[in-house]
Amino acid sequence: MKKILLIISEGTELLEIAPFTDIFGWNNIVGKKNTFLKTAGFHHIISNTWNLKIIPEINLTNENFIVNDYDALIIPGGFGFKGFFEDMKQIEFQNIIKEFNKQNKIIVGICTGVIPLGEAGILKNLKATTYLHDNNRYFNQLQKYGAIAVREEIVKDKNIITCSSPKNAIEVAFLLLSLLTNKENMKKVKYNMGFL
């Protein structure tokens, strides 16, 4: 059984959460039935960018969390005006990212969800991308973290997958499913979800 941790912060975008919950949910119905996705956060109730309330399955401030139990980490992005960047400053958040990286587990950053990876110091000398618009401010931050900033929608370097916008979240979720199961299983899930 492959276990995936999806950390949801204040102000996270739903379109960067839903592809992972849906695709891995579908895998457990029509696919290999060998993945288990858990949502986690630092609040009992999380308000997403557009004010939908989310209750994470794991509260990372109250529960003992063991990185060894998981095979992949997903960090969706969000908007600063809704508090997204406050959560990433928490030392517990950065420690989780560092530990996943230390154990060479797959780490996915979506859009501005790549910025916490830089804050945790794991992008140095690695190719990465992030949100490419808005005067390039997030893209320019990658260079400050020592990353090799690449103007592409999806970038994979070693164990880290980064993408540039909510649009790419679906494609990255299918890529992650392929990596954790296999390509044939991913295609089966994709077909049953109406993408093929």
Side-chain angles (χ1 to χ4, degrees):
M1 181 68 69
K2 299 288 186 178
K3 292 179 73 175
I4 304 114
L5 183 72
L6 191 153
I7 297 182
I8 304 170
S9 300
E10 284 288 315
T12 298
E13 284 195 82
L14 286 178
L15 192 53
E16 298 181 19
I17 298 169
F20 296 95
T21 58
D22 281 21
I23 288 168
F24 284 96
W26 274 82
N27 181 58
N28 290 327
I29 294 172
V30 300
K32 289 182 87 59
K33 301 176 179 68
N34 65 341
T35 55
F36 185 70
L37 185 140
K38 280 279 200 178
T39 58
F42 293 95
H43 312 277
H44 296 291
I45 299 174
I46 300 166
S47 182
N48 93 310
T49 298
W50 316 120
N51 298 320
L52 184 71
K53 305 300 182 203
I54 301 167
I55 301 172
E57 297 166 282
I58 300 170
N59 187 315
L60 294 169
T61 57
N62 295 342
E63 297 180 33
N64 289 329
F65 173 76
I66 302 169
V67 170
N68 292 347
D69 292 345
Y70 292 86
D71 300 285
L73 171 66
I74 303 164
I75 303 172
F79 283 81
F81 77 92
K82 284 292 194 169
F84 176 76
F85 296 107
E86 294 305 311
D87 283 348
M88 76 174 196
K89 293 176 186 173
Q90 295 191 43
I91 193 70
E92 296 92 345
F93 194 3
Q94 293 184 15
N95 286 341
I96 289 169
I97 294 169
K98 288 176 185 177
E99 189 58 32
F100 266 88
N101 193 56
K102 181 179 172 186
Q103 294 185 30
N104 202 36
K105 294 174 184 267
I106 298 171
I107 300 171
V108 176
I110 308 294
C111 195
T112 58
V114 176
I115 301 304
L117 307 183
E119 288 285 325
I122 68 164
L123 294 179
K124 190 168 183 166
N125 298 320
L126 294 179
K127 293 178 183 174
T129 191
T130 186
Y131 189 64
L132 299 174
H133 305 294
D134 197 15
N135 298 321
N136 294 319
R137 66 178 170 155
Y138 299 117
F139 192 77
N140 292 336
Q141 276 183 271
L142 292 180
Q143 295 168 330
K144 292 179 185 173
Y145 299 134
I148 302 164
V150 179
R151 291 194 161 280
E152 293 178 12
E153 290 188 345
I154 299 171
V155 175
K156 183 178 183 306
D157 195 342
K158 297 185 180 175
N159 62 311
I160 299 174
I161 302 167
T162 56
C163 76
S164 64
S165 68
K167 175 192 114 168
N168 309 121
I170 293 173
E171 190 176 345
V172 171
F174 281 122
L175 171 61
L176 181 60
L177 178 62
S178 181
L179 292 172
L180 292 177
T181 62
N182 59 52
K183 197 170 187 176
E184 293 74 27
N185 179 66
M186 179 272 290
K187 286 181 178 178
K188 181 178 181 182
V189 173
K190 204 170 191 179
Y191 171 80
N192 279 277
M193 291 183 75
F195 287 98
L196 291 177

